[in-house]
Amino acid sequence: MLEVRLLGGFAAVRDGVLLTWPNAKTRALFQILVGERGRYFSKDQLIEWLWPDSPIKSASVNLRGRVRELRLLEPDLPKGRASRYIETLSEGYRFSPEAPCRVDVEEFLAALREAEAKHQKGDLAGAQEALERALGLYRGEYLLEVPYEDWALERRAHLKERRREALERLAEIYVRRGRLPEARSRCLQLLEEEPCRESAWRLLMGIQAALGERAEALKTYERCRRTLRRELGEEVEPSPATRELYEHLRKGRPFPIPV
C-alpha cells in the first residue's frame, strides 16, 4: 500500500518504506498528480510548471523521462505493463483514482464531507467527531517544501480555508452542545490565524457573554475594531452584523446560539 502525506511535510511510504526520488522534478511531478488524484493534467500545463524556460521539445523529453521514473512506485511492474498509478492519455497524465493509495488530503476532505452530512441530519456528536478527525489530519500547510510553486499555491489556499471553516463550524457545534470553553479555544485559534474573520469575532463575543463574561465580550468588540483598522485601514469599521451583536450584548440580551 502506498501512503502519501502532503499536509505538514511531504512523505510517500510504500509498504512501510520511505520512498526516495531520483531528482526534484520527479518528486514535483508526483506531488502535482497525487495532490489532485483523478484530475488529468495536460502535458502543456505540466511543462509550463516544471520547465517554464526550456524549449518545448527538450521539455517534452524531460516530462516523458520523469513519468518513466515514477515507475519507482511499482518496482516489480513488468516492462511494457501499464502503471496502476499513473494513467497516460495523448494529452496528459493523471494519478489513478482506483490505485491502492491513501492520501492525507483526501482523508481530510472526506472527513469534512462526513461532518457536513451528519450536521445536516442533526447529528451534532457525529459532526463533531468528524471535524475533530479532519483537524487532526491537517498537520500543517499543504506541501510546505514548495512554498512558492504556482502549482501548489491555489491548492494550499483552498485547503487552508477549508480548515478554517472546520474550526469555526466545530466551535459552533461546541456552543450548541454546551462546551463553551472548548468553543472559545477554537475561536481564539482561528483568530490567531485569520484576525480579520469577523464571524469568528462575533462567535467569540457570544461565547464570552454566555460564560457570564459580558464586559469581556464588549472589550472583544473593541479588539475586533482595532484589528480591522490595523489590518485593513483606518477607515474600516466592523460590519453591520458585528455592530448589531455588540449592541445586542451591550443591552444585556442573551447570546443567540448558532444554528
Side-chain angles (χ1 to χ4, degrees):
M1 169 67 75
L2 180 65
E3 300 181 48
V4 182
R5 187 176 72 189
L6 302 169
L7 298 168
F10 170 69
V13 176
R14 185 188 62 240
D15 298 330
V17 178
L18 182 68
L19 293 180
T20 57
W21 306 90
N23 55 69
K25 297 295 187 184
T26 303
R27 182 181 65 238
L29 177 60
F30 174 77
Q31 291 169 333
I32 291 170
L33 297 177
V34 79
E36 294 187 67
R37 182 152 59 142
R39 172 185 169 186
Y40 273 107
F41 292 87
S42 72
K43 294 175 182 178
D44 289 345
Q45 181 66 83
L46 294 170
I47 286 170
E48 181 181 340
W49 282 334
L50 298 175
W51 295 277
D53 302 318
S54 297
I56 187 65
K57 185 174 181 179
S58 63
S60 296
V61 171
N62 278 326
L63 177 58
R64 289 195 297 272
R66 303 296 78 74
V67 171
R68 284 195 299 272
E69 287 172 347
L70 288 180
R71 293 174 77 87
L72 66 83
L73 301 172
E74 306 164 277
D76 300 325
L77 185 68
K79 188 175 181 179
R81 182 78 60 82
S83 170
R84 291 180 299 169
Y85 292 97
I86 308 302
E87 296 183 355
T88 305
L89 289 180
S90 59
E91 67 271 20
Y93 304 94
R94 75 169 181 172
F95 197 98
S96 171
E98 308 302 325
C101 181
R102 291 182 58 189
V103 184
D104 61 353
V105 167
E106 294 177 356
E107 294 179 346
F108 168 72
L109 294 173
L112 293 183
R113 289 192 296 271
E114 179 186 340
E116 183 59 26
K118 290 185 174 180
H119 187 270
Q120 291 291 333
K121 295 177 181 177
D123 179 5
L124 295 184
Q128 175 190 312
E129 187 278 330
L131 286 168
E132 289 170 341
R133 180 160 25 93
L135 292 170
L137 287 163
Y138 195 101
R139 291 177 287 263
E141 290 189 19
Y142 181 76
L143 289 174
L144 287 169
E145 296 84 353
V146 289
Y148 308 114
E149 295 291 350
D150 289 344
W151 51 265
L153 292 175
E154 184 176 347
R155 186 69 162 162
R156 182 180 300 122
H158 171 72
L159 293 168
K160 185 187 294 187
E161 177 57 23
R162 295 300 307 276
R163 176 182 179 273
R164 289 171 174 173
E165 291 170 354
L167 278 171
E168 190 165 4
R169 176 55 63 89
L170 182 57
E172 292 170 352
I173 289 174
Y174 281 151
V175 168
R176 293 180 65 188
R177 302 194 73 207
R179 298 171 63 168
L180 296 179
E182 291 161 285
R184 176 171 54 189
S185 177
R186 291 297 188 177
C187 280
L188 292 171
Q189 183 183 358
L190 178 54
L191 287 168
E192 185 175 345
E193 297 179 17
E194 192 178 5
C196 294
R197 197 178 190 104
E198 282 196 63
S199 57
W201 283 109
R202 290 194 295 272
L203 188 56
L204 178 59
M205 289 165 59
I207 292 166
Q208 290 169 330
L211 285 166
E213 302 169 359
R214 190 169 302 277
E216 188 63 29
L218 299 180
K219 290 179 184 177
T220 293
Y221 172 81
E222 294 300 331
R223 288 199 300 273
C224 170
R225 188 166 177 265
R226 290 195 302 269
T227 299
L228 294 176
R229 287 186 167 191
R230 183 181 67 246
E231 298 290 332
L232 302 178
E234 285 296 325
E235 72 286 355
V236 175
E237 290 289 337
S239 68
T242 305
R243 295 198 300 270
E244 181 180 352
L245 178 61
Y246 169 75
E247 290 298 328
H248 183 95
L249 298 177
R250 189 176 66 82
K251 294 173 182 177
R253 295 171 182 166
F255 169 46
I257 299 295
V259 295

